[in-house]
Amino acid sequence: MGITKQYLRYVPLSNFNIICHPDCNIVFVTLNGISDRYVAVGACENVVVWDLRLAKLVMTIEDEDMKNNTLKKNSVVKLASISEGKHIAVGYSDGLVNTFNLTTGELVGTFQGHRSAITALNYDTNGHMLASGSKDTEAVIWDIVAEKGLHRLSGHKGIITEVKFMNKYNIVLTSSKDTYIKFWDLTTGHCFKTLAGHITEVWTLSILRNDDFVVAGSNDAELRTWKISETKEEELEIKMTELLSSETILDFTSSIKCVKAGSLMREGPGRVVSSATDNTNHVLCCHGHGKLLELFIFTGDGEALERLRNRQRKFRKKALKRGENENDENLAFLNEKSPALQDVVRRLPSILTDFKIKSVDLVVKQTHVKVVVSMSNNSLAMYSVSLTDNKVVKELRKISLHGHRSNVKVLAFSSDNLALFTGGSESVKMWSRKTLNCIRTVETSSQVQCLCVIPGDRHVLAGLEDGNLLVIDIAAGYIIECISAHSKDLKSIYMLPDELGCITGGGDSSVKLWQLELVVLPNSDRRVLSLLHLKTIELDENVQCAKVSPDNKLLAVALLDNTIKIFFKDTFKHFIDLYGHTLPVNDFDISYDSSLIITASADKTVRIWGLDYGDCHKRLTTDSSLTSIKFIPQTHQFFTSDKNGNIKHWDADIFERVLTLQGHRGECRNLSVSGNGYFVLSCGQDNVIRLFEKTEEPLVLEDEREEERTQEDEKELATGEETNVYGGPSILALPSKKTISSEKAAELLLECLNVIKEYKDSLHQNQNTSEDKPSLPMIMMAFNVKTADDYLLEIIKRIRSSELEEVLLLIPFSSVCYFMESLIPLLNHMHHEIEAVVRSLVFLVQTLHKPLSSVKDMMPILRQLHLLATKKTNEFRDLVGENLHSLMFINNSQEEEDLVFNITQNVHKKRKRQKQKLLKTTLVNF
């Protein structure tokens, strides 16, 4: 059967309006060698980078798989970067962790090891390892270079709130809502120390001053601080002796000592929300749920010792004045040589912001600290705090014009579809559709409930929550007139088809007809646009929406009593009522030929009515309450938005759903369709405005339904959630997680082994019968390989490095034996691709050692693989070392040549200046 009706697919084009999402932290990133100018923030499923100096957007980083998959939208909830690093780590709400290149925006690595949202993410100092914590109470250590998981840290009973690396001791610290802070050894992946100094949840964790102090914040005003030091060998021997001779269970000795140093008292009320440290780990900033940001600096040993001596000197002077005798307590303080916490920590000036703080990050310069703050009203602010004793706090930059302060509720297109208009709780904004930059902002006194663009695109009508109707000159950016149109909230504005007036509907149960006119301003010859009130219809219920049919004959009004009343537009006489909805109609629209009216209700149904007799043609049921509905111009197709965040494309002629787009996380509040039908605009509870574009890609309903069923099936793993090991433990705690892509890769590897086995069997059979060599299978030719070994190597290279272990555990044991046997020719002839092969071999031997050693035929293969792997690994290591030192030699030579060239150039410039100076002196004397 051929295509009976062709549709064109709508796809996401871009997002805007988000300056900083409150659910994601903010981090400084290094671009073009500058570390204190650019910040990265989360914007739903994307990451945006802002230039704080120019207050503009410079980069948007997005996952292509998430962008192309309209049914998968996971928000960015955690970011991590490293000073002078080129990569940024992004944690998503589904537990996925991606790393991107900051220069190109390309995806570098993908790590899947968590089952719920990421709550903590941090790099080590060198940027070679990444630690992630999640709501699943586990933390995972990832090797960025090898793109694989190293350890899964399981031990907490609450949500992980922070993960930090200690660089001196090869240790990772984790904090959790179970009130504990745990120390983990990176070599073994085991917990060797637990701090239980908190009564309630631990929300923040910071490591200060070269791993000397650990600071943790809880539900109170205290920042508990511990001093970290290395355990000496003599103390280790004593503790080990006590452990061996004691009959009771003692605290096992460890390589570090952790002693409570005291507490830092915060000024802000409530619990600590988040904290941050600079790249040198000397300055700590923290904040609560309020507007106060507090900063502390951990000074060096010299300054701390000087402050201690100053305190002792002052104490001695006060004691002499009072004539006190030196008792044991006074002598102990005066003889103290090690600084206390109050000597080490100095409080910097606090920052009081305009709105509640959500996240902070900071960079330390020589004389000041630059602090960037993301606030709850979708704005960024950058402050400078002096490091000296003078309490100077400066606001350097604020980014607020690129987004609304609160959720957007209304949208509109201009007549030429080149501009977009949005209304929020505080303003009306005009955006460029091509660049998505905010062009104009007009402040309003209350929430904007509805918008209407007047032909010519110079003026906009805005209905407010207090019942006022604003006439806005959007080109000049100011309000021409404020008309008190309704006594209650104004819910609907609709331009008449003849473009000479408009109708408004409000919460005061009335519909009013207005006429556009030009009036002359007093004391001026200037004429401006105004509205003249003509007629009013008083109704029994509050008006939800009011529109006029395109033929300018009928007026339809949706009321709060679940009905739609239709009047004649010229006489305002009642024509017909539409009954059927069980809950109020939130929105409706009339087709271009005035033959159909579609209604969207809170009862989860869409009804299609005929305007000739008012009969219901069809009732369409959805899975959520509907918020908005719009016809595509010049067609009987329409879009709906619902409280699940979905945007659905329907056909009113055949009464079927065409396409579903996941638009928003949470409620999708409104949508608008452009005049040519090529663009769709939507806004939602997540504060993002999404723009969808019509493409030239044809869409067939049967294929679309099949694709949706396939995506639903892929949500469930065919082999179960847990990984089963043949001949070993039933559950293996790998750092990675079984995913759909790992199952597909396992199927691909299993198919490869079967094809290779069949091909080699046929090759061996033809050699015995002296027949011609068989041709390569079609699948090998598709991969553009010449031998079976190359085919196996190509399949191994296609497996994601982070999923290699999961893939190997998914194939059956018989295939594992054949796979290990097939690795022998690869190790014999391969050089540069040895890493993945040897890694697969080592993992299989470690995991399946018992069943492999029980098979007699495998022992010679294992011995041969051992010899080959050791030999090839050594050769490859020598090759890498030789190349590394060769590159270092070339680099040093190049640096020497550049140094000589620069010195020569400076000498030439100096001689040239001396000659010019001498020439000028000679001319003056002459």
Side-chain angles (χ1 to χ4, degrees):
M1 181 178 178
I3 299 178
T4 56
K5 189 174 183 70
Q6 180 174 315
Y7 303 92
L8 295 181
R9 184 182 297 275
Y10 284 83
V11 297
L13 181 60
S14 55
N15 307 336
F16 60 101
N17 186 57
I18 289 188
I19 298 176
C20 57
H21 203 281
D23 295 337
C24 182
N25 64 320
I26 180 172
V27 293
F28 274 103
V29 294
T30 303
L31 286 178
N32 304 323
I34 304 174
S35 60
D36 61 342
R37 178 175 175 177
Y38 304 96
V39 292
V41 295
C44 286
E45 68 274 11
N46 300 334
V47 178
V48 294
V49 180
W50 293 96
D51 186 345
L52 293 176
R53 185 175 301 174
L54 302 178
K56 71 174 186 178
L57 182 68
V58 295
M59 179 184 292
T60 300
I61 302 173
E62 54 188 351
D63 187 355
E64 290 296 330
D65 294 339
M66 203 171 296
K67 178 182 177 181
N68 298 329
N69 190 352
T70 58
L71 297 179
K72 180 184 178 183
K73 299 291 184 184
N74 298 312
S75 297
V76 176
V77 293
K78 208 69 180 176
L79 297 175
S81 66
I82 183 172
S83 179
E84 306 299 331
K86 296 181 179 180
H87 293 168
I88 183 171
V90 183
Y92 294 89
S93 58
D94 64 341
L96 176 68
V97 178
N98 284 340
T99 55
F100 294 92
N101 190 316
L102 281 171
T103 306
T104 61
E106 296 180 351
L107 179 65
V108 178
T110 299
F111 305 96
Q112 291 184 329
H114 296 285
R115 295 175 175 82
S116 55
I118 300 296
T119 56
L121 201 62
N122 268 299
Y123 278 104
D124 68 340
T125 303
N126 299 321
H128 297 163
M129 287 189 294
L130 179 69
S132 61
S134 172
K135 288 183 178 180
D136 59 8
T137 72
E138 294 180 334
V140 178
I141 310 299
W142 305 96
D143 188 339
I144 300 297
V145 179
E147 296 186 13
K148 67 174 184 177
L150 297 178
H151 304 290
R152 179 178 292 275
L153 310 181
S154 302
H156 284 288
K157 296 181 180 179
I159 296 174
I160 303 293
T161 56
E162 194 57 81
V163 182
K164 293 287 186 180
F165 283 96
M166 295 187 71
N167 304 305
K168 288 197 304 185
Y169 305 110
N170 198 30
I171 291 171
V172 169
L173 271 69
T174 60
S175 63
S176 171
K177 288 187 179 181
D178 62 2
T179 73
Y180 296 126
I181 298 174
K182 289 182 178 292
F183 290 72
W184 307 81
D185 188 351
L186 275 178
T187 305
T188 61
H190 289 84
C191 175
F192 65 90
K193 184 182 285 292
T194 300
L195 297 182
H198 293 83
I199 302 174
T200 57
E201 297 92 343
V202 181
W203 291 99
T204 62
L205 179 68
S206 302
I207 301 177
L208 278 303
R209 213 188 72 171
N210 196 20
D211 298 345
D212 288 340
F213 293 93
V214 173
V215 181
S218 184
N219 280 348
D220 48 22
E222 289 187 40
L223 295 177
R224 292 170 176 82
T225 306
W226 287 267
K227 179 70 183 299
I228 305 297
S229 60
E230 190 172 359
T231 306
K232 299 179 181 179
E233 294 184 1
E234 298 81 6
E235 297 177 354
L236 283 174
E237 293 178 358
I238 294 173
K239 287 186 177 181
M240 184 61 69
T241 304
E242 292 178 357
L243 180 67
L244 294 175
S245 60
S246 176
E247 297 180 357
T248 60
I249 300 177
L250 298 177
D251 185 17
F252 189 76
T253 182
S254 62
S255 59
I256 62 172
K257 290 192 301 183
C258 189
V259 180
K260 183 70 178 294
S263 296
L264 303 176
M265 300 305 297
R266 295 171 43 245
E267 295 177 357
R271 73 171 180 88
V272 182
V273 174
S274 71
S275 65
T277 59
D278 65 304
N279 49 3
T280 62
N281 290 334
H282 277 74
V283 179
L284 170 69
C285 66
C286 62
H287 67 91
H289 282 296
K291 305 175 184 179
L292 185 65
L293 178 65
E294 302 174 56
L295 291 93
F296 306 88
I297 181 170
F298 283 69
T299 59
D301 291 333
E303 183 177 348
L305 189 59
E306 184 179 354
R307 295 181 68 185
L308 173 63
R309 290 173 179 171
N310 290 336
R311 283 201 305 123
Q312 291 174 342
R313 191 181 304 113
K314 291 179 181 179
F315 182 82
R316 188 179 291 109
K317 288 181 179 180
K318 290 181 180 179
L320 290 175
K321 286 182 179 180
R322 292 193 300 263
E324 295 180 356
N325 297 324
E326 294 184 352
N327 52 28
D328 294 340
E329 184 177 353
N330 295 343
L331 286 175
F333 171 68
L334 294 174
N335 295 329
E336 185 69 37
K337 295 183 179 180
S338 59
L341 183 63
Q342 58 180 328
D343 302 318
V344 175
V345 181
R346 177 163 56 88
R347 187 183 292 269
L348 294 178
S350 300
I351 300 174
L352 186 62
T353 60
D354 298 332
F355 295 90
K356 290 184 178 180
I357 304 172
K358 287 297 181 181
S359 178
V360 294
D361 198 16
L362 67 159
V363 172
V364 173
K365 295 300 179 181
Q366 293 181 352
T367 59
H368 61 278
V369 183
K370 287 186 177 181
V371 182
V372 62
V373 181
S374 66
M375 291 175 279
S376 60
N377 67 333
N378 192 29
S379 63
L380 290 176
M382 186 176 181
Y383 299 90
S384 175
V385 180
S386 176
L387 288 175
T388 57
D389 293 334
N390 55 344
K391 298 182 178 181
V392 179
V393 177
K394 297 180 181 179
E395 183 178 331
L396 302 179
R397 182 70 62 187
K398 192 171 184 179
I399 302 177
S400 60
L401 294 179
H402 297 274
H404 286 274
R405 303 282 73 76
S406 62
N407 292 335
V408 179
K409 289 189 176 181
V410 288
L411 308 160
F413 278 93
S414 63
S415 59
D416 56 3
N417 305 316
L418 295 178
L420 314 173
F421 298 93
T422 59
S425 63
E426 82 300 332
S427 64
V428 174
K429 287 183 178 288
M430 178 182 178
W431 310 77
S432 170
R433 181 181 57 81
K434 291 185 177 180
T435 62
L436 298 181
N437 291 329
C438 182
I439 303 173
R440 292 286 186 276
T441 299
V442 180
E443 300 292 335
T444 60
S445 59
S446 64
Q447 173 75 47
V448 180
Q449 298 278 66
C450 49
L451 278 178
C452 179
V453 182
I454 296 177
D457 299 334
R458 288 184 57 88
H459 299 84
V460 174
L461 302 179
L464 304 184
E465 194 175 18
D466 55 8
N468 291 329
L469 177 60
L470 302 182
V471 182
I472 302 174
D473 187 343
I474 201 69
Y478 68 91
I479 300 173
I480 299 175
E481 187 178 5
C482 180
I483 304 171
S484 181
H486 294 266
S487 59
K488 294 184 179 180
D489 52 336
L490 201 161
K491 292 188 175 181
S492 175
I493 301 178
Y494 187 77
M495 183 63 59
L496 297 179
D498 56 9
E499 300 180 350
L500 298 178
C502 66
I503 59 170
T504 60
D508 55 358
S509 306
S510 65
V511 176
K512 295 185 179 182
L513 177 64
W514 305 80
Q515 180 181 338
L516 299 175
E517 62 175 4
L518 293 175
V519 298
V520 180
L521 291 176
N523 302 325
S524 174
D525 296 335
R526 184 183 175 191
R527 304 178 70 186
V528 296
L529 185 68
S530 181
L531 293 177
L532 175 64
H533 179 224
L534 298 180
K535 294 181 181 179
T536 301
I537 304 178
E538 296 293 340
L539 300 168
D540 298 333
E541 291 288 342
N542 293 343
V543 176
Q544 296 289 99
C545 184
K547 290 184 180 180
V548 176
S549 61
D551 58 5
N552 207 17
K553 293 182 179 180
L554 299 176
L555 168 64
V557 182
L559 302 179
L560 200 60
D561 61 358
N562 312 339
T563 64
I564 300 96
K565 293 184 179 294
I566 300 178
F567 304 87
F568 291 104
K569 190 256 177 182
D570 50 356
T571 62
F572 281 5
K573 287 185 177 181
H574 180 261
F575 171 54
I576 200 171
D577 288 343
L578 305 180
Y579 296 95
H581 286 291
T582 58
L583 288 175
V585 175
N586 292 325
D587 195 12
F588 68 88
D589 201 7
I590 303 174
S591 63
Y592 72 100
D593 54 3
S594 302
S595 62
L596 296 177
I597 179 172
I598 50 176
T599 57
S601 172
D603 60 4
K604 304 181 182 180
T605 61
V606 175
R607 289 180 182 264
I608 303 172
W609 314 78
L611 269 179
D612 44 2
Y613 301 106
D615 56 327
C616 181
H617 293 178
K618 191 68 175 179
R619 174 179 174 270
L620 305 175
T621 304
T622 61
D623 54 357
S624 180
S625 298
L626 298 169
T627 58
S628 181
I629 189 167
K630 294 291 185 297
F631 266 115
I632 300 176
Q634 305 303 317
T635 66
H636 282 177
Q637 302 174 29
F638 61 92
F639 281 94
T640 61
S641 62
D642 56 36
K643 291 190 176 181
N644 281 348
N646 296 323
I647 298 172
K648 297 182 179 180
H649 180 194
W650 304 79
D651 191 340
D653 291 332
I654 62 175
F655 313 123
E656 285 194 16
R657 178 173 54 87
V658 179
L659 181 66
T660 299
L661 301 171
Q662 182 181 352
H664 301 269
R665 290 181 62 85
E667 178 183 350
C668 181
R669 292 181 170 167
N670 207 336
L671 64 87
S672 179
V673 182
S674 62
N676 56 9
Y678 280 89
F679 300 97
V680 177
L681 197 64
S682 68
C683 61
Q685 189 178 358
D686 54 3
N687 204 29
V688 67
I689 303 176
R690 298 185 183 273
L691 182 63
F692 300 89
E693 182 185 22
K694 187 178 183 180
T695 63
E696 297 300 323
E697 179 186 354
L699 185 148
V700 183
L701 296 182
E702 291 79 6
D703 296 344
E704 189 65 24
R705 298 292 90 79
E706 182 64 28
E707 180 68 21
E708 290 177 2
R709 286 191 291 268
T710 303
Q711 291 184 2
E712 288 294 330
D713 293 340
E714 286 183 352
K715 291 181 180 180
E716 297 182 0
L717 296 173
T719 57
E721 292 290 337
E722 304 295 340
T723 303
N724 297 321
V725 183
Y726 178 83
S730 58
I731 298 176
L732 188 64
L734 293 175
S736 57
K737 183 186 71 170
K738 189 190 300 184
T739 59
I740 301 296
S741 58
S742 61
E743 286 187 342
K744 290 183 177 179
E747 293 177 359
L748 189 63
L749 179 58
L750 193 58
E751 181 187 16
C752 168
L753 296 175
N754 293 333
V755 170
I756 291 175
K757 188 175 183 180
E758 293 177 0
Y759 174 68
K760 288 186 176 180
D761 290 342
S762 61
L763 185 64
H764 182 68
Q765 184 178 0
N766 290 359
Q767 288 178 354
N768 293 336
T769 58
S770 301
E771 296 182 5
D772 295 336
K773 182 180 179 181
S775 59
L776 287 175
M778 293 296 295
I779 190 169
M780 290 189 186
M781 298 173 64
F783 280 94
N784 195 21
V785 294
K786 297 181 180 180
T787 62
D789 297 334
D790 294 340
Y791 176 41
L792 178 60
L793 180 60
E794 183 67 25
I795 296 300
I796 295 175
K797 289 164 58 178
R798 287 174 179 263
I799 300 174
R800 282 181 179 175
S801 180
S802 58
E803 297 177 349
L804 182 59
E805 287 84 359
E806 292 286 350
V807 171
L808 295 175
L809 290 178
L810 286 174
I811 60 178
F813 182 72
S814 58
S815 300
V816 168
C817 297
Y818 186 74
F819 174 72
M820 297 184 68
E821 184 180 353
S822 303
L823 295 181
I824 295 176
L826 290 182
L827 290 173
N828 275 323
H829 302 93
M830 186 184 50
H831 295 285
H832 299 294
E833 291 85 6
I834 191 174
E835 183 179 355
V837 176
V838 173
R839 181 180 159 197
S840 304
L841 175 61
V842 172
F843 175 76
L844 288 175
V845 172
Q846 288 178 344
T847 309
L848 305 176
H849 178 266
K850 185 176 180 180
L852 286 173
S853 59
S854 63
V855 180
K856 294 182 179 179
D857 296 338
M858 288 298 299
M859 295 307 297
I861 297 175
L862 290 175
R863 295 190 186 97
Q864 190 175 0
L865 285 172
H866 171 67
L867 296 175
L868 284 173
T870 305
K871 178 182 177 183
K872 292 295 181 181
T873 303
N874 292 331
E875 291 178 359
F876 189 69
R877 182 179 57 190
D878 295 339
L879 177 63
V880 171
E882 183 179 352
N883 291 338
L884 175 62
H885 285 81
S886 300
L887 290 173
M888 292 172 62
F889 175 76
I890 295 173
N891 185 35
N892 293 335
S893 302
Q894 186 66 34
E895 288 180 354
E896 291 177 0
E897 292 178 2
D898 293 341
L899 180 61
V900 172
F901 178 77
N902 292 333
I903 293 174
T904 306
Q905 290 293 325
N906 292 333
V907 170
H908 288 326
K909 289 180 180 179
K910 185 176 181 180
R911 288 178 178 177
K912 188 176 180 180
R913 286 196 300 268
Q914 290 176 352
K915 289 181 180 179
Q916 291 178 352
K917 185 177 180 181
L918 181 62
L919 182 61
K920 288 181 181 179
T921 306
T922 305
L923 292 175
V924 169
N925 293 334
F926 180 75

